[in-house]
């Protein structure tokens, strides 16, 4: 092992989330011994890691976060929250396990294994996907690192994976499953903005669903062509018009709960009914799909089923898609992200938090609300 | 054209369902001129046609059938029922069209076109799938007929397509989508019994969900191994045990509405959680699918989404599956049905109705209730 001029401490802090047998969620910091990278591994000093909704799903799971409390100070800070019996059932497989957190982040390679490639990364700023990024250090496979271009900081590269690959994979999924245009909800989000930039570049029609006029304005400024506000009285009519104009038969919904997925299918069916030959006595013929990739609304999904028989609703998760898509697609998407990191895939952060700040209920209630335009960055070394 | 000794009338009765612009459903009989078969067509005198749930979906659609009325007599009998504004929206594409009814049936070929094959069917008893079988006569392509074996009556062959092909296609879908065992609801139905016979023959594990002890008994008598009663207090536990024992990750649900689909996914997730390595922080890894192929419960489908991200719920319709499956699969399945018509695919009817009887509210309320073990047969020539 070769270490940088940077002097390594004997141990480091790593954030964990645990569901205890007695119905409590505990999120806290563990003092871990600094690991030694193996031949093909590198040790990254993590400088920036975003708090994504997918990270929060693991951090907080099905706990009742409105009853969360923070106790202790510094490295002993612990966030606790009660978990309902239904929540315990849903999280049965993780009871008693201290799960590490944080899917992505970036920092400096401060130690490397003996292999030539690992050694070549020494001192470089890299981004990585690991599931253990809410920590001061992490060991990852050298080939899993995305070396950033010169002049790009850890903060620039912190969100290189989840949102960029999710947005790109939505368009890939659309193509693979035989659709030609798509619908996206919570469309003014950081992810939604990336998706608009991709679709404009690639000439793919995108129907954006938002809830507020200010979100309409954000997307208009980006050049979005189809924007529908779900708070408008004639929402379903406007949505049907946009779906008819684009021919969208697949949607990605970040909200998950309530009737939005069903409304999208209803509008797709109404759009198909306007097209002669697209309709049978069992409803429209073309398969209509809504993927729920997030859970901003944790209430049950309600499906009216008033859209014939050719429809599907299901969960969509980036790692599952990438595993199915294969190596060629993975490489192509990552290469595009690295090239367009400061343009198409640029993220803006509204607040930076240290590991202990991120466990304070005052901050948790901010980032858990997932307000449009707000994005939080963890800085484990500040 | 060559006609049998049977003297053809100038016209015949055909049942139609129409949704009128002013919010009414009307099901009645039309007097149609007897058609002349083209070269490759035959004219069938329809002697038996079952009333399947899929036929009722077209007959009654989204009308409020508890408010249905019957008026007129004989060939002028009409069943009417009001349609709610939501129902009108869902049926928008069929407003004003008199839709013919009846997906399948059987009878005698009484006239044939000039082609050799059409001529060879003269006088034979055949089954057919056409969408216009609730009538005294129908013209179909000769190659679309299934000639019955000697000694098989029209009544024996009336249900040769919908239930047999649906049951077989469920097992095909299971295999095509990479599953190895399946779950079925309303499992003591005519279709469910066929599915049990197929699965026992083919060595496929099947979890049967029923609502009553008498349905448990029906399936036990058939030799079913896994039967779960949804009225039992420990239903979810029993279902989880059966799913764990069989490894079922796909289900076919006839009810459609309510929480049953969600409960099946919950049990699949709980079963996966018992298996080390089958679980990630985002839930179980293997895709879990529930297909809704019927709508015995017309209320909305409620999904709790407490089963990770690798799941799907969607409509499933036989013609869509057969179109996707291709010629080889279609031929293989039909050949098996013809061979096993009086064993695996035998149907029993509890009542026979004429075309006008089928429009009486007293009979409609019987067959619309889709009670287990009850199956109705139309006899258009009695």
């Amino acid at each position: 092992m070769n270490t940088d001029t940077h002097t390594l401490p004997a141990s480091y802090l790593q954030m964990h989330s645990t569901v205890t047998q007695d119905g409590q969620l505990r999120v806290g910091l563990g003092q871990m011994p600094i690991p030694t990278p193996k031949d093909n591994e590198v040790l990254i000093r993590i400088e920036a890691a975003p708090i994504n909704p997918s990270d929060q799903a693991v951090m907080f799971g099905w706990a009742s976060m409105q009853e969360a409390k923070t106790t202790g100070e510094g490295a002993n800070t612990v966030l606790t929250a009660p978990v309902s019996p239904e929540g315990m059932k849903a999280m049965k497989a993780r009871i008693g396990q201290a799960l590490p957190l944080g899917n992505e982040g970036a920092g400096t390679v401060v130690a490397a294994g003996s292999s030539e490639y690992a050694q070549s990364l020494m001192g470089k700023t890299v981004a990585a996907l690991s599931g253990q990024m809410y920590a001061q250090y992490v060991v990852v496979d050298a080939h899993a690192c995305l070396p950033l271009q010169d002049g790009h900081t850890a903060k620039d590269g912190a969100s290189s994976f989840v949102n960029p690959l999710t947005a790109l994979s939505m368009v890939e999924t659309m193509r693979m499953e035989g659709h030609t245009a798509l619908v996206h909800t919570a469309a003014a989000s950081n992810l939604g903005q990336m998706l608009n930039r991709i679709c404009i570049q690639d000439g793919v029609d995108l129907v954006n669903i938002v809830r507020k006029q200010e979100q309409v304005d954000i997307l208009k400024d980006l050049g979005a062509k189809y924007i529908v506000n779900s708070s408008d009285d004639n929402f379903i009519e406007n949505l049907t018009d946009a779906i008819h104009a684009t021919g969208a038969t697949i949607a990605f919904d970040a909200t998950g709960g309530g009737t939005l997925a069903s409304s999208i299918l209803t509008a797709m069916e109404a759009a198909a009914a306007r097209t002669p030959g697209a309709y049978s006595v069992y409803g429209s013929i073309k398969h209509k799909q809504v993927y729920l990739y997030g859970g901003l609304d944790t209430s049950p999904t309600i499906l009216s089923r008033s859209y014939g028989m050719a429809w599907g609703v299901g969960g969509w998760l980036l790692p599952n898609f990438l595993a199915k898509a294969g190596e060629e697609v993975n490489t192509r998407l990552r290469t595009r992200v690295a090239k367009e990191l400061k343009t198409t895939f640029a993220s803006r952060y509204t607040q930076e938090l240290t590991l202990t700040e991120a466990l304070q209920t005052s901050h948790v209630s901010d980032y858990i609300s997932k307000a449009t335009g707000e994005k939080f960055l963890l800085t484990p070394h500040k």
Side-chain angles (χ1 to χ4, degrees), chain A:
Chain A
M1 190 179 92
N2 183 341
T3 63
D4 203 347
T5 49
H6 177 87
T7 307
L8 291 178
S11 67
Y12 70 99
L13 293 175
Q14 185 186 50
M15 196 184 283
H16 295 114
S17 170
T18 312
V19 175
T20 62
Q21 198 70 56
D22 61 343
Q24 278 242 327
L25 173 91
R26 292 173 60 87
V27 189
L29 303 172
Q31 196 84 39
M32 316 293 284
I34 282 278
T36 304
K38 294 189 194 123
D39 290 358
N40 294 308
E41 291 178 342
V42 295
L43 179 71
I44 306 172
R45 178 184 187 271
I46 301 166
E47 284 138 19
I51 305 181
N52 292 316
S54 51
D55 298 311
Q56 295 184 37
V58 187
M59 276 176 103
F60 306 130
W62 291 76
S64 306
M65 292 307 293
Q66 62 285 1
E67 298 171 60
K69 279 181 210 157
T70 305
T71 55
E73 283 188 2
N76 297 316
T77 307
V78 177
L79 180 85
T80 56
V83 182
S84 70
E86 297 77 51
M88 289 300 285
K89 238 183 248 174
M91 297 195 288
K92 201 177 164 187
R94 57 172 283 192
I95 293 171
Q97 296 173 50
L99 300 177
L101 300 163
N103 285 306
E104 64 180 342
T108 311
V109 174
V110 291
S114 60
S115 81
E116 199 178 333
Y117 184 67
Q119 284 295 323
S120 77
L121 294 177
M122 269 301 292
K124 293 234 165 103
T125 305
V126 298
L129 190 68
S130 96
Q132 313 198 7
M133 301 304 279
Y134 293 176
Q136 293 175 314
Y137 293 89
V138 71
V139 161
V140 298
D141 189 282
H143 285 281
C145 291
L146 186 73
L148 301 184
Q149 295 184 7
D150 285 347
H152 289 182
T153 65
K155 190 172 165 180
D156 292 332
S159 295
S160 292
F161 296 92
V162 178
N163 279 354
L165 291 180
T166 298
L168 286 170
S169 296
M170 286 175 177
V171 180
E172 290 292 320
T173 300
M174 177 201 81
R175 289 199 187 103
M176 275 184 196
E177 299 188 0
H179 307 272
T180 54
L182 72 167
V183 177
H184 186 226
T185 74
S189 65
N190 179 287
L191 173 67
Q193 296 183 31
M194 284 184 193
L195 185 59
N196 272 281
R197 290 187 216 114
I198 294 166
C199 287
I200 290 168
Q201 269 191 50
D202 293 8
V204 170
D205 276 341
L206 169 66
V207 178
N208 294 280
I209 300 178
V210 297
R211 283 175 308 143
K212 295 178 190 165
Q213 186 55 43
E214 67 194 74
Q215 297 163 338
V216 173
D217 298 339
I218 291 172
L219 293 176
K220 268 195 187 149
D221 285 349
L222 268 178
K225 194 169 164 194
Y226 301 97
I227 311 168
V228 187
N229 187 337
S230 62
S231 304
D232 284 353
D233 287 342
N234 45 357
F235 165 56
I236 295 287
E237 254 178 79
N238 294 344
L239 181 59
T240 304
D241 289 344
I243 287 172
H244 186 240
T246 58
T249 42
I250 185 169
F252 290 88
D253 175 29
T255 64
T259 58
L260 187 53
S262 199
S263 295
I264 294 169
L265 291 168
T266 301
M268 286 177 177
E269 186 72 359
R274 292 186 192 172
T275 310
Y279 213 80
S280 81
V281 287
Y282 296 108
S284 71
I285 294 155
K286 175 103 172 79
H287 183 79
K288 298 160 291 299
Q289 180 70 37
V290 178
Y291 283 118
L292 312 180
Y293 75 92
L296 296 176
D297 177 347
T298 56
S299 72
T301 311
I302 315 273
L303 306 174
S304 72
R305 304 197 313 286
S306 55
Y307 19 80
M309 295 300 278
W311 60 272
V313 168
W316 188 93
L317 189 71
L318 179 63
N320 295 358
F321 170 78
L322 292 176
K324 206 172 58 182
E327 203 45 42
E328 182 275 322
V329 172
N330 276 266
T331 306
R332 175 161 52 79
L333 303 190
R334 278 174 180 237
T335 306
R336 181 164 176 185
V337 173
K339 262 194 210 158
E340 304 173 21
L341 189 60
K342 298 266 267 186
T343 54
T344 314
F345 303 109
S347 287
R348 265 185 221 123
Y349 303 96
T350 45
Q351 198 170 353
E352 298 188 5
L353 300 172
T354 63
L355 290 175
T356 50
E357 283 169 350
L359 298 175
Q360 303 299 324
T361 50
S362 55
H363 292 304
V364 170
S365 61
D366 280 350
Y367 62 79
I368 215 172
S369 76
K370 296 159 189 157
T372 308
E374 293 198 353
K375 199 161 164 64
F376 294 78
L377 189 72
L378 269 185
T379 53
H381 275 280
K382 278 190 183 158

